[in-house]
Amino acid sequence: MSTVSATRPRQSWAGLWNISFGFFGIQIGFALQNANMSRIFQSLGTSLDDLPALWVAAPLTGLLVQPVIGHLSDRTWLGRLGRRRPYFLLGSILAALALILMPESPGLLMAALLLWLLDASLNISMEPFRAFVGDQLDKDQHAAGYAVQTAFIGAGAVFGSIFPWLLEHFGVSNQAPGGGIPDTVRVAFWFGGAALFLSVLWTVLTTREYSPAEMAAFHGDDAADDSHTTRVLAARGHGTSLLWIAAGAMVAGAVALWGLEKEVYLLGALLAGYGLASIIAVSRAKAGRPISMLGHIVGDFAGMPVLMRRLAVAQFFSWSALFIMWINTTPIVTSAFYGAPDAQSPAYQQGANWVDVLFATYNGVAAVAALTLLPWLSRRFGQVRTHIVGLLCGAAGFASFFWVSDPQLLLASEVGIGIAWASILAMPYAILASSLPQRKLGIYMGLFNVFVVVPQLLVATVMGSITKHFFPTEPIWTMAFAAATLLLAALAMMRVPVEVR
């Protein structure tokens, strides 16, 4: 019979490696998606104006999946597999299949459906990994745990981003006769599927999860959390819920009145849908009925700690900038730096491969910064100020796209972006992990990731309208929006209390 301790044993560096190694493969999948999906869509015949619409499935899926998976993983126990690892494993299998099938897409519809499956699967695996660090480590190792996780994210993204470029240099064809998806992308996606599954399998096989009894010894019973959520819901009226519904109706009206992109209707539907879900959850709580998963999600969202709310604002602006970059870097570099907006031209494919190198650069910088620069800054200035510095570095990196004309010099731009990326992946989670209720770490991490996903959905819908109306042939101006939103994120971080060191 195992002895239950009130504190977790400290993990060695090997233990920290095993806990987060699965994220290496998950990020290979994300990197292949981020660097190549616009390329795949354009190669299959879509126009620049339609790219944001095709990307809508990814953030919408994350918005719906992450809170649900977070809630379920807090309450799952499947014997030797535990509570987080079943989701790692399921998500990795589905994501690997999507990656293998993606380059075989015969048309845009199949590619868009596989993007939806890929993003849903990556979210199923990714969300519990954030909570897994908090499960496995005591508070004094949270910063180290998320730094190692960020390093694996950066390393995985380097492999995923640069692999098509490497394949070309090893003789794999970067041209597709008659159009379509070149072999460099095809082989890279197949490799990525295998690497994703095997790395997640490594974490599943080399770690063990603390049993429900051990978790109860660390944190007590869950009943108090359930009763708190019920009280929060029962104390609410329906006024706020009706405001959410009204906001959704106003968004839909604006689309019809001003002729915005039809995908913006999704924003209205989401706002109204949350309002309806809130009415249902509040009504059930007032009637004294048992709290459901919907009630937990709505109640925990409404009852987020103040620190989490303030961090969420910074997170919202940070990820707006990142999604602008992921959607637009390929068309920006190929058109503004290689003079090749036509996806079928050799110059376009050369520029698209250079984007892979740029993405690998910022991810490589992030991996190094996560283990060196950020810990050094955090020890001296604290995590909040360190994050502000990181965001300002990213804003400078995006703005520098307007200062250079040689695509080689964009490597310097990616250094600033890489520092920001490392900080975005590590600092908010390190700040949160020690302040959130550990029994509900999964659901809170899932809800926090709503502020990762919502800005992506906004960019995928609203940015398309902005680009089409103001600079339809000059996507480089989207980088000005990216720089501005990172500045807003830095300003938002100034409202987060500076920790006592």
Side-chain angles (χ1 to χ4, degrees):
M1 182 175 179
S2 62
T3 301
V4 178
S5 173
T7 59
R8 301 168 181 81
R10 288 185 62 82
Q11 292 282 349
S12 65
W13 279 104
L16 295 176
W17 173 291
N18 292 336
I19 288 169
S20 290
F21 186 69
F23 232 123
F24 174 74
I26 292 172
Q27 199 59 34
I28 288 176
F30 270 118
L32 287 169
Q33 170 186 299
N34 293 337
N36 294 284
M37 283 313 303
S38 289
R39 179 182 188 176
I40 289 174
F41 286 145
Q42 286 186 287
S43 295
L44 291 174
T46 193
S47 68
L48 175 62
D49 292 338
D50 293 330
L51 281 181
L54 290 169
W55 277 83
V56 164
L60 179 61
T61 302
L63 181 65
L64 299 175
V65 167
Q66 292 202 19
V68 172
I69 295 299
H71 171 84
L72 292 175
S73 70
D74 280 339
R75 289 161 171 77
T76 294
W77 186 257
L78 295 181
R80 296 179 63 183
L81 267 181
R83 63 173 181 165
R84 312 290 186 194
R85 291 180 300 169
Y87 298 95
F88 302 166
L89 195 57
L90 174 63
S92 68
I93 293 170
L94 295 175
L97 289 174
L99 284 168
I100 291 169
L101 294 174
M102 182 73 74
E104 303 303 315
S105 301
L108 283 173
L109 177 60
M110 180 60 72
L113 290 173
L114 286 171
L115 174 61
W116 171 80
L117 175 61
L118 175 60
D119 206 78
S121 305
L122 290 172
N123 277 287
I124 290 171
S125 285
M126 181 188 72
E127 199 287 328
F129 258 106
R130 293 292 190 191
F132 192 54
V133 173
D135 290 346
Q136 298 291 305
L137 304 176
D138 262 348
K139 292 182 179 181
D140 63 343
Q141 282 198 294
H142 282 165
Y146 286 108
V148 171
Q149 190 173 89
T150 299
F152 275 126
I153 290 171
V158 168
F159 276 89
S161 298
I162 206 171
F163 203 64
W165 181 83
L166 287 175
L167 288 171
E168 182 185 14
H169 283 73
F170 279 104
V172 179
S173 174
N174 194 43
Q175 302 294 321
I181 300 167
D183 287 344
T184 50
V185 175
R186 201 180 300 273
V187 175
F189 271 63
W190 296 340
F191 166 84
L196 189 156
F197 173 73
L198 291 174
S199 64
V200 172
L201 186 63
W202 177 279
T203 289
V204 170
L205 295 177
T206 60
T207 58
R208 64 169 291 270
E209 296 196 61
Y210 293 108
S211 69
E214 290 172 310
M215 294 301 290
F218 296 143
H219 307 298
D221 194 356
D222 289 336
D225 287 327
D226 289 349
S227 63
H228 170 73
T229 303
T230 302
R231 289 195 302 272
V232 168
L233 289 172
R236 296 183 67 189
H238 293 306
T240 303
S241 303
L242 294 174
L243 287 176
W244 283 105
I245 295 173
M250 290 174 63
V251 169
V255 176
L257 181 64
W258 294 323
L260 302 178
E261 297 295 319
K262 299 302 182 184
E263 294 78 21
V264 182
Y265 278 123
L266 286 172
L267 294 177
L270 286 170
L271 293 173
Y274 177 75
L276 290 173
S278 181
I279 288 175
I280 294 170
V282 169
S283 299
R284 287 176 60 89
K286 288 181 179 294
R289 300 178 67 181
I291 190 165
S292 62
M293 179 173 68
L294 179 65
H296 274 288
I297 293 173
V298 172
D300 290 332
F301 187 81
M304 282 190 298
V306 174
L307 176 68
M308 183 174 170
R309 290 176 183 270
R310 293 181 178 180
L311 277 171
V313 177
Q315 197 79 334
F316 174 88
F317 288 119
S318 300
W319 282 84
S320 296
L322 293 170
F323 205 61
I324 289 171
M325 174 185 69
W326 290 330
I327 290 180
N328 293 289
T329 299
T330 295
I332 287 170
V333 171
T334 55
S335 62
F337 293 90
Y338 283 82
D342 181 6
Q344 306 304 324
S345 69
Y348 176 93
Q349 298 299 340
Q350 183 183 3
N353 271 12
W354 186 243
V355 172
D356 292 337
V357 176
L358 295 177
F359 278 28
T361 300
Y362 88 74
N363 281 292
V365 169
V368 174
L371 296 179
T372 56
L373 178 63
L374 295 186
W376 182 82
L377 290 173
S378 295
R379 287 193 299 269
R380 284 157 179 76
F381 306 110
Q383 294 170 342
V384 172
R385 292 191 181 101
T386 296
H387 193 36
I388 292 172
V389 170
L391 294 170
L392 293 176
C393 288
F398 286 127
S400 68
F401 270 66
F402 294 91
W403 304 336
V404 301
S405 57
D406 185 345
Q408 304 290 326
L409 296 179
L410 292 176
L411 292 171
S413 305
E414 299 301 322
V415 172
I417 295 170
I419 294 171
W421 179 229
S423 188
I424 290 166
L425 290 174
M427 290 299 111
Y429 296 99
I431 295 169
L432 277 179
S434 298
S435 63
L436 293 174
Q438 298 295 299
R439 292 183 300 270
K440 304 181 76 171
L441 200 55
I443 180 62
Y444 273 125
M445 287 295 184
L447 291 173
F448 189 62
N449 281 328
V450 167
F451 299 96
V452 170
V453 174
V454 168
Q456 296 180 38
L457 183 59
L458 280 169
V459 169
T461 53
V462 176
M463 203 69 202
S465 296
I466 293 173
T467 302
K468 180 182 291 186
H469 285 90
F470 294 101
F471 33 85
T473 61
E474 296 181 299
I476 193 171
W477 286 103
T478 59
M479 285 299 178
F481 285 85
T485 54
L486 280 190
L487 290 176
L488 290 173
L491 289 173
M493 281 302 299
M494 293 181 181
R495 297 186 66 245
V496 177
V498 176
E499 67 275 23
V500 177
R501 294 180 288 116

